[in-house]
Amino acid sequence: MSQARIIDGKAFAAQLREQVAADVANLKAQHGLTPGLAVVLVGEDPASQVYVRSKGEQTLAAGMHSETHRLPAETSQAELLSLVERLNDDPAIHGVLVQFPVPDHMSQAAIVAAISPDKDVDGLTVTNAGRLASGLPALTACTPAGCMVLLKDVVGDLRGKRAVVVGRSNLMGKPMAQLLLAADCTVTIAHSRTQDLAAVCREADILVAAVGRPQMVKGDWIKPGATVIDVGINRIPKEDGKTRLVGDVDFEAAKEVAGAITPVPGGVGPMTIAMLLANTVSAAKRLNGIAE
Ligand code: NDP
């Protein structure tokens, strides 16, 4: 059996960022509009700091307005919510993103509920989740939207394909399943209570793993020729005492069976921020009545 095509998420993301930058340049020239993204970070989680820095840098690199609000871990929820409200009302800002996780004394649900659905570039509000599920235009969670870009390119016509999504989070699994359904796949959502997960996965022409368990999906869970999208980002120890990133799929075994597969790192990850930029541009257009 030949080896799987390795899906180069970095290259796809670079292409998408170029499109976004061209779109931004047009918006500026034709409408005097500069899309703006505000990212809020509470506390000092090291991984979140890296993500937030990259988001700011890439927003600026696309020619957009970028604001990063760094708040101390002891910030009260009321203070955070009042910042979110201020950003909701700020005409220079079209996307508002609060980086999760937030400290334990805050409610993630209350924060999401405070974000204006029109500026919810992470697609997390009930309004956007409902719009997606109802087949209406919505701001869609960035990582699933990025996975769809990869799938549409690699698989082409998705109609009638058997898709299995492992994971049912609001951020990842559920919107992923909705997007696949909207693309006319036959979709199964698996989770921690699914019985015989290996057999369920083996039915998939398209297998999306969004679990957060290192290398859980084994090579013999994969249907020969399937397209495997590995969303997981897990840090595991190496023999030399350092750590390395792995996905939710046992990549080495899976690439011997799959038709195409995303690596970790360099697969889905780079698409997420690129989609965030694209969502911010979409939000800016909608807020200003400009056709997409
Ligand atoms: P969550 O922890 O919110 O959800 C994990 C899901 O996996 C849950 O639905 C859970 O099921 C399911 N699950 C857990 N254990 C098993 C198991 N043994 N068998 C089957 N299903 C299981 O995580 P997220 O959805 O936020 O993220 C998933 C992964 O994707 C993480 O590694 C995260 O780091 C990564 N990620 C990567 C992004 C990127 O940019 N590449 C962006 C977002 C996430 P149940 O509901 O039953 O508990």
Side-chain angles (χ1 to χ4, degrees), residues 204-264:
D205 302 311
I206 294 167
L207 178 61
V208 181
V211 181
R213 290 186 181 261
Q215 300 165 318
M216 183 188 83
V217 175
K218 306 300 176 203
D220 65 358
W221 295 19
I222 292 164
K223 179 173 172 177
T227 300
V228 179
I229 303 289
D230 189 353
V231 181
I233 301 178
N234 310 288
R235 198 165 275 287
I236 60 166
K238 287 198 298 186
E239 279 170 12
D240 61 6
K242 295 187 180 153
T243 60
R244 69 182 178 111
L245 289 183
V246 296
D248 290 339
V249 177
D250 178 354
F251 180 80
E252 289 307 318
K255 77 177 193 319
E256 303 297 325
V257 189
I261 184 168
T262 56
V264 177

Side-chain angles (χ1 to χ4, degrees), residues 18-144:
E18 262 174 43
Q19 279 169 21
V20 169
D23 224 1
V24 169
N26 265 339
L27 281 176
K28 284 183 183 174
Q30 292 182 5
H31 300 276
L33 173 62
T34 302
L37 173 66
V39 177
V40 182
L41 173 63
V42 189
E44 272 151 30
D45 179 69
S48 294
Q49 283 181 331
V50 174
Y51 292 140
V52 165
R53 192 166 347 112
S54 281
K55 285 172 185 172
E57 286 167 2
Q58 293 190 32
T59 306
L60 288 174
M64 295 159 64
H65 169 65
S66 162
E67 281 179 17
T68 304
H69 297 262
R70 291 187 169 79
L71 306 179
E74 57 278 9
T75 302
S76 71
Q77 173 150 311
E79 282 172 288
L80 174 61
L81 294 184
S82 86
L83 171 60
V84 169
E85 268 166 39
R86 208 148 38 79
L87 296 169
N88 283 343
D89 292 339
D90 184 342
I93 295 297
H94 308 97
V96 177
L97 184 153
V98 178
Q99 184 70 41
F100 293 128
V102 284
D104 288 345
H105 66 277
M106 291 184 172
S107 149
Q108 187 165 317
I111 296 163
V112 168
I115 297 171
S116 161
D118 294 335
K119 297 190 177 183
D120 168 29
V121 280
D122 246 350
L124 283 174
T125 56
V126 169
T127 303
N128 278 314
R131 292 181 72 87
L132 176 64
S134 308
L136 296 169
L139 287 167
T140 307
C142 302
T143 307

